[in-house]
Amino acid sequence: MRRLITTLAILFVVIVAGMTTLVLLVNPNDFRNYMVQQVEQRSGYQLRIEGDLRWHVWPQLSILAGRMSVTAPGAQQPVVMAENMRLDVHLLPLLSHQLSVKQVMLKNAVVRLTPESDARRPDDAPVGPSDSAPAEPVRGWTFDINSLEVTDSLLIWQPRQGEEINFRDLNLTLTQDNRQEAMLSLVTRVSRDQRELQLALNGTMNVAEYPHRLSGAVEELSWQLRGAGLPATGVQGKGSLQAEWLNDSQRFALRNMALTLGESQLNGTISGSLSTKPAFAIDIHAPRLDLDTLMGLNRSSAAPDVTSAAVSVRPPVIAEPVRGEDQPLNGITAALKLRVDALRWRGMDLQQVALDADNQQGEVALKTFSGHAGAGEFSLPGTLDMRSTPVQAVLHPTLRNITLAPLLEAFSLPPTLDGQLSLTGRLNGSGLSVADFHHRWRGEADIELTSAQIIGMNFQQLVQRAVARNSDRVSSEEDTDDSNLTRMDKLQAKATLHDGLLSLQALQGGTSRFQLSGGGQIDLARRQCDITFGIQVTQGWKGDNALIAALRQSAIPLRLYGGWDNLQYNLQVDQLLRQRLETEAKTRIDEWKARHPDNASSH
């Protein structure tokens, strides 16, 4: 045992002595020009290292450097800048004049992927074939890197004609094997618009054809989004995908995408080009997509007031005002195919939703936008002009047997009316939010509501009770509907929308017991209405037959007016009965005169 310990101690002393001798004999600054030359020959990038290089022996033989930067040819700003750089090197290759770097570590680095950091070819530079062989490496020292580690750094990414996005607290590990397969690990966060996205991924990357081609797979992706307008626990998800980048043609492809967003799932592909005229092709299938959760629109079971909810919840990005010249869709072409098996939007559950849209530099054509809602179906083709501020929209809605109450609630309208809605019309407006619909949309439509219900008022009951209070000659039958609903087999109207004012003409409906007609206006912006109905009750009377016959032929005016939260009504039964009594009295007088002509002439 003593002999083994002695042997290990001697070996340790020899290693330490050898490393010390090597450090004393080899000046790390001798590698400076070589590294700069190698980087330029292999990539064309300019490596700049400030200050002296120095050795760091324990626990890893390393070369320490101060501030460094890497700049693409012709770029205005460096791609990478770092306050500190550490090169972990192999010991034995130094003996044969080989610089074998196990790992490059950058701390507090700034990585820029912006138009200013992109390489720029001089106008008079010759263009060689993309598959030309790389230049031969310089003789003397050889150079190799196995691993790259970036810690506590910042990544600035800005696509052309897009906004700048900062990835903070960036921790990146990139390890390469002999087959030029790289293992990638990334952890970072993005803060924007009072929201924070935490992102982590692990994957592989093939760099054998770099810089012409990169391919790889994200095997494990996790993220969490928290902040304004989102649930307290945030929205989190996982995913995986395969990716490919062709640098010469600036084309990319994301295949076999499988993402979860809370309870939502997305599968599909995204491909396109990021050249001077970016183009995208997106084909997504979603078994389930919950937009309410993703946009923070989930409501509690208590169903808070619409007005307060609208104030506390941040609107979705598509509803926020964006200047036309800053709209990202204006600079690209894109084709979108989206299929959603189950979609939740503003409390509505939709099924088999299909969206086919085409964008041409900000002109969006909604070729197909259709789906089902329960037993009903809808189609909403149209166009969107994203080049103007706000967005200009033209839609041609067609609805068949859509349950009305959830639709009214989705558009922040009081669900006082229900039934199966069928609608055909044309709408156009400025802006895409619910508030814009209430203020800046116009159009017209033919509306039909089957199995209609007016919630909170029973028109037949109101008329019969009012008549009974003003006359003791008639009353309602005992089996008359005593609920707080007005039920109708069908309700029809022609609707016109003009900047928040919804006009209803040719309003007709009813059942076998009563008929309804009329018209009026609903002010969406002020949340008020003024509608006058003519209620003709044909069944449910008992009492004086003559008066009942007159009531069956009379449309009694019923006016609903005021704010939605304090709706009032005016029922003009007394005037009808007064007119009826006057008519009856005049009729009896005329009959008496006919029977007694002599007495009538004397008077």
Side-chain angles (χ1 to χ4, degrees):
M1 186 66 178
R2 182 180 301 176
R3 184 175 301 175
L4 176 61
I5 296 176
T6 302
T7 302
L8 293 176
I10 294 173
L11 181 60
F12 177 76
V13 171
V14 170
I15 293 175
V16 172
M19 292 180 62
T20 304
T21 303
L22 184 61
V23 168
L24 292 176
L25 295 178
V26 179
N27 185 355
N29 290 284
D30 294 340
F31 303 133
R32 180 196 299 272
N33 293 334
Y34 170 73
M35 289 189 293
V36 171
Q37 188 178 16
Q38 283 289 291
V39 170
E40 183 175 5
Q41 278 194 350
R42 297 193 178 195
S43 66
Y45 284 61
Q46 298 293 325
L47 171 63
R48 181 180 179 183
I49 302 176
E50 299 180 8
D52 292 334
L53 303 181
R54 60 192 186 275
W55 286 111
H56 180 77
V57 177
W58 188 261
Q60 166 68 46
L61 182 62
S62 306
I63 298 176
L64 302 183
R67 183 187 297 271
M68 61 79 65
S69 64
V70 177
T71 306
Q76 299 177 4
Q77 293 182 336
V79 178
V80 179
M81 287 194 315
E83 295 295 328
N84 299 285
M85 180 176 68
R86 191 185 80 193
L87 306 178
D88 296 339
V89 301
H90 294 282
L91 175 61
L92 294 180
L94 291 174
L95 301 176
S96 57
H97 282 218
Q98 293 181 355
L99 180 62
S100 180
V101 181
K102 292 192 296 185
Q103 177 173 275
V104 176
M105 181 175 181
L106 303 178
K107 187 174 179 63
N108 298 326
V110 177
V111 181
R112 292 182 179 273
L113 301 178
T114 65
E116 290 76 15
S117 66
D118 285 345
R120 297 188 179 182
R121 183 186 298 271
D123 297 335
D124 57 350
V127 179
S130 60
D131 57 350
S132 58
E136 289 293 330
V138 297
R139 298 182 181 276
W141 292 93
T142 59
F143 185 57
D144 191 18
I145 298 176
N146 295 331
S147 177
L148 171 66
E149 183 176 354
V150 181
T151 61
D152 301 333
S153 299
L154 170 67
L155 169 63
I156 303 174
W157 178 59
Q158 182 183 11
R160 293 188 181 275
Q161 301 179 351
E163 296 185 8
E164 185 179 282
I165 302 177
N166 295 331
F167 294 82
R168 304 183 184 277
D169 297 336
L170 176 68
N171 291 276
L172 170 67
T173 301
L174 187 63
T175 304
Q176 177 181 315
D177 59 17
N178 295 331
R179 298 172 299 173
Q180 293 186 299
E181 291 282 345
M183 280 64 73
L184 174 69
S185 177
L186 171 69
V187 178
T188 186
R189 66 180 180 88
V190 181
S191 297
R192 192 174 183 183
D193 297 333
Q194 300 181 5
R195 294 182 178 179
E196 181 177 272
L197 172 65
Q198 294 181 340
L199 181 68
L201 66 86
N202 292 302
T204 59
M205 184 167 55
N206 189 322
V207 295
E209 300 178 51
Y210 177 83
H212 304 299
R213 179 179 180 269
L214 285 174
S215 62
V218 176
E219 299 169 351
E220 185 178 351
L221 169 67
S222 62
W223 58 272
Q224 184 175 36
L225 181 63
R226 294 184 177 182
L230 295 174
T233 57
V235 179
Q236 57 187 356
K238 297 181 179 180
S240 61
L241 57 91
Q242 294 178 344
E244 181 183 39
W245 170 253
L246 302 176
N247 190 62
D248 297 332
S249 60
Q250 296 286 291
R251 297 192 63 83
F252 75 95
L254 305 178
R255 303 184 181 92
N256 298 327
M257 292 175 51
L259 303 177
T260 62
L261 308 136
E263 296 183 357
S264 304
Q265 303 98 38
L266 297 175
N267 304 307
T269 62
I270 301 176
S271 61
S273 170
L274 297 180
S275 58
T276 54
K277 295 182 178 180
F280 301 90
I282 305 171
D283 191 346
I284 298 295
H285 170 248
R288 175 176 172 80
L289 185 58
D290 189 343
L291 294 181
D292 287 359
T293 299
L294 297 179
M295 296 189 298
L297 296 179
N298 271 344
R299 301 176 181 177
S300 65
S301 57
D305 178 72
V306 173
T307 304
S308 61
V311 174
S312 61
V313 173
R314 185 177 181 273
V317 174
I318 195 172
E320 295 178 351
V322 180
R323 294 183 302 173
E325 61 271 19
D326 294 337
Q327 174 58 248
L329 293 180
N330 291 351
I332 67 171
T333 61
L336 169 64
K337 289 187 177 181
L338 175 64
R339 301 292 181 269
V340 184
D341 296 341
L343 172 68
R344 186 168 183 83
W345 174 75
R346 299 189 69 86
M348 293 188 63
D349 291 316
L350 310 176
Q351 301 84 35
Q352 304 303 318
V353 177
L355 172 61
D356 287 347
D358 182 73
N359 172 61
Q360 297 292 331
Q361 308 293 327
E363 293 184 274
V364 180
L366 301 177
K367 300 177 181 178
T368 301
F369 185 20
S370 60
H372 296 265
E377 58 184 12
F378 68 90
S379 176
L380 203 66
T383 59
L384 302 176
D385 188 351
M386 314 297 290
R387 300 167 300 177
S388 60
T389 304
V391 175
Q392 301 298 312
V394 178
L395 302 176
H396 300 272
T398 300
L399 280 64
R400 294 288 182 267
N401 298 321
I402 299 293
T403 303
L404 179 59
L407 185 62
L408 293 176
E409 191 171 2
F411 281 89
S412 299
L413 301 174
T416 56
L417 189 63
D418 199 3
Q420 305 304 309
L421 174 66
S422 295
L423 177 151
T424 301
R426 183 183 186 277
L427 297 172
N428 65 87
S430 301
L432 299 177
S433 69
V434 172
D436 291 328
F437 178 80
H438 287 178
H439 291 82
R440 297 188 290 186
W441 276 64
R442 300 180 179 183
E444 56 187 19
D446 293 326
I447 299 175
E448 180 179 292
L449 194 65
T450 58
S451 302
Q453 294 182 359
I454 300 177
I455 302 171
M457 303 187 76
N458 188 323
F459 287 175
Q460 180 182 354
Q461 183 186 92
L462 287 176
V463 171
Q464 290 180 323
R465 288 183 177 180
V467 171
R469 284 195 301 268
N470 286 271
S471 174
D472 57 359
R473 297 167 56 187
V474 294
S475 61
S476 60
E477 296 178 350
E478 294 181 358
D479 60 348
T480 301
D481 184 7
D482 197 37
S483 65
N484 201 26
L485 298 173
T486 299
R487 293 183 173 89
M488 291 172 284
D489 298 332
K490 183 181 295 186
L491 182 64
Q492 296 176 316
K494 292 184 177 296
T496 302
L497 179 63
H498 188 278
D499 295 340
L501 192 62
L502 179 62
S503 301
L504 301 175
Q505 300 94 23
L507 189 63
Q508 294 182 349
T511 66
S512 60
R513 303 183 68 86
F514 76 93
Q515 297 297 315
L516 176 150
S517 62
Q521 293 182 336
I522 299 176
D523 194 330
L524 303 179
R526 298 182 180 179
R527 302 173 63 83
Q528 296 179 348
C529 75
D530 191 345
I531 303 176
T532 299
F533 300 97
I535 311 298
Q536 185 177 351
V537 180
T538 58
Q539 300 292 332
W541 297 107
K542 63 179 182 179
D544 189 304
N545 291 331
L547 182 56
I548 290 175
L551 289 172
R552 288 175 176 174
Q553 299 176 1
S554 302
I556 300 176
L558 171 62
R559 180 190 176 200
L560 296 179
Y561 63 95
W564 296 346
D565 299 328
N566 187 25
L567 197 62
Q568 303 180 46
Y569 72 92
N570 183 10
L571 189 60
Q572 301 176 2
V573 174
D574 53 346
Q575 296 181 9
L576 176 67
L577 292 178
R578 189 182 305 114
Q579 293 174 0
R580 171 60 188 168
L581 290 176
E582 291 175 355
T583 301
E584 184 178 352
K586 185 176 182 302
T587 301
R588 290 185 179 183
I589 291 174
D590 291 342
E591 292 176 352
W592 183 84
K593 288 180 178 181
R595 292 195 304 267
H596 305 84
D598 296 336
N599 294 337
S601 60
S602 63
H603 290 283

